Amino acid sequence: MESFIFSLNATIPVFSIIIVGNLLKRLGIIDSAFSNTAEKFVFKVCLPCLLFQDLTGTDIRNNFDLSYVSFCFLSTLASIIIIWIVGKKIIRDKSIVGAFVQGSYRSSAAILGVAFIQNIYGTSGMAPIMIIASVPLYNIFAVIILTIESNEKSKDSTVKRAVAGIIKNPIIIGIAAGLTASYLNIELPRMIDKSISNLAVMASSLALISLGASFEGKKALAKIKPTAAASMIKLIILAAVFLPVAVYLGFRDQKLIAIVIMFASPCTPTAYIMAKNMHGDETLAGSIVVATTFFSAITMTGWIYLMKSLALIR
């Protein structure tokens, strides 16, 4: 019951902000112009600051566990590649492939990961290490996939567009800067650190409000099948495949909980922001975020309960 209540506390507030964004749009308090501007601001400023802050707050040198990082990295890489290959083969509407693939593998690892582990163990534990191994891959492949599967094609070659997209992408820049600062143990002046923190703290709420304001229920219902398929992959299938492998390799307690979050937490609102800004299918991306956030209250509780009942976590 305690795990169930915590799961609700972690997911319902997120879903509520999406609803608030939609209500604000319906009441005329915000409009499409606000939503579009806010999405660009989050994508180009707030999210890079959030990722930079998360990574600089992690002591890479002292908390580095090669076997654990390798598992998180390789399993994340495998899941992305498999979903992309399968998605390209089974999805007839090629314009939604990018949003579908991204929504099927991206987790709210940075947003919910630390919160879950702190609630259970009183410390962030292995969450930062999981984030280092998985979140850069999430974002790098999101840029590659959304660039290659973009609905707006250019005359440039696919490879050139993908490389240029990676180099110029604000989120990739934020990750690279964060990893560098963490590894070199660079301490920023307090005024700069506080400024970055003030921008970072706006990322999730502003992204969710924009998502709610832009969410169109009728269009989402028209894409219910890919939304349902992506949600099933995100919340159940990936965890069902990779958790047994993690258990077999001997990962327990905090490490295992972090892996559960990596594979079974809802799709991050970042997926919607990136799809919208990189000419992907933002309607499908938003639908996946909403659906996985809503149902994760049930599925996350189920995974945690299963781990506890098997004495794999304490």
Side-chain angles (χ1 to χ4, degrees), residues 236-285:
I236 298 174
I237 295 177
L238 289 179
V241 171
F242 290 104
L243 277 179
V245 178
V247 171
Y248 176 78
L249 293 175
F251 299 125
R252 298 289 188 273
D253 300 322
Q254 294 184 32
K255 291 182 179 180
L256 195 58
I257 287 293
I259 292 171
V260 170
I261 292 161
M262 184 174 73
F263 285 117
S265 64
C267 180
T268 174
T270 309
Y272 166 76
I273 299 294
M274 290 190 70
K276 183 83 180 257
N277 282 271
M278 297 184 68
H279 311 292
D281 192 315
E282 70 270 18
T283 300
L284 177 58

Side-chain angles (χ1 to χ4, degrees), residues 8-304:
L8 289 178
N9 287 335
T11 57
I12 297 303
V14 174
F15 192 66
S16 297
I17 296 177
I18 296 175
I19 295 174
V20 168
N22 192 265
L23 288 174
L24 292 174
K25 172 75 176 295
R26 292 176 182 275
L27 292 172
I29 297 175
I30 60 177
D31 56 16
S32 297
F34 170 85
S35 180
N36 292 333
T37 301
E39 287 161 4
K40 290 181 181 179
F41 178 63
V42 170
F43 180 71
K44 294 183 178 182
V45 180
C46 296
L47 283 173
C49 286
L50 176 62
L51 291 168
F52 175 83
Q53 187 179 52
D54 285 341
L55 290 171
T56 53
T58 302
D59 188 346
I60 295 178
R61 295 188 180 187
N62 293 328
N63 292 309
F64 193 80
D65 182 331
L66 181 59
S67 62
Y68 185 68
V69 169
S70 297
F71 172 80
C72 292
F73 180 89
L74 293 174
S75 57
T76 299
L77 180 62
S79 66
I80 294 171
I81 293 174
I82 292 171
I83 292 170
W84 194 4
I85 292 173
V86 173
K88 286 179 72 69
K89 288 186 177 181
I90 66 173
I91 295 177
R92 295 181 180 180
D93 183 357
K94 301 306 178 184
S95 66
I96 70 172
V97 170
F100 176 84
V101 174
Q102 183 191 203
S104 297
Y105 77 77
R106 292 191 76 173
S107 296
S108 298
I111 296 174
L112 294 181
V114 173
F116 263 97
I117 296 178
Q118 282 182 331
N119 181 74
I120 297 172
Y121 296 106
T123 175
S124 61
M126 298 305 296
I129 304 303
M130 177 270 290
I131 290 170
I132 290 171
S134 61
V135 171
L137 276 179
Y138 290 161
N139 289 282
I140 290 170
F141 270 93
V143 174
I144 294 173
I145 292 168
L146 288 171
T147 300
I148 292 176
E149 306 295 346
S150 173
N151 295 330
E152 184 176 284
K153 302 296 182 182
S154 68
K155 295 181 180 180
D156 295 332
S157 69
T158 298
V159 175
K160 286 183 178 180
R161 286 190 296 113
V163 172
I166 293 170
I167 294 174
K168 297 178 182 179
N169 190 277
I171 291 177
I172 301 301
I173 294 172
I175 290 173
L179 287 172
T180 301
S182 178
Y183 183 78
L184 297 178
N185 196 26
I186 297 174
E187 291 189 14
L188 298 176
R190 180 168 176 76
M191 64 180 69
I192 296 177
D193 183 63
K194 186 62 177 178
S195 297
I196 292 174
S197 178
N198 288 337
L199 289 169
V201 77
M202 291 190 287
S204 297
S205 295
L206 196 53
L208 291 169
I209 289 173
S210 299
L211 171 58
S214 303
F215 185 73
E216 298 180 49
K218 292 182 179 179
K219 289 184 178 181
L221 289 175
K223 297 182 178 180
I224 190 66
K225 289 184 178 180
T227 297
S231 299
M232 180 69 71
I233 293 170
K234 181 78 239 16
L235 299 177
I236 298 174
I237 295 177
L238 289 179
V241 171
F242 290 104
L243 277 179
V245 178
V247 171
Y248 176 78
L249 293 175
F251 299 125
R252 298 289 188 273
D253 300 322
Q254 294 184 32
K255 291 182 179 180
L256 195 58
I257 287 293
I259 292 171
V260 170
I261 292 161
M262 184 174 73
F263 285 117
S265 64
C267 180
T268 174
T270 309
Y272 166 76
I273 299 294
M274 290 190 70
K276 183 83 180 257
N277 282 271
M278 297 184 68
H279 311 292
D281 192 315
E282 70 270 18
T283 300
L284 177 58
S287 298
I288 294 171
V289 172
V290 172
T292 54
T293 300
F294 183 79
F295 288 108
S296 66
I298 299 171
T299 56
M300 284 291 291
T301 300
W303 286 117
I304 292 173

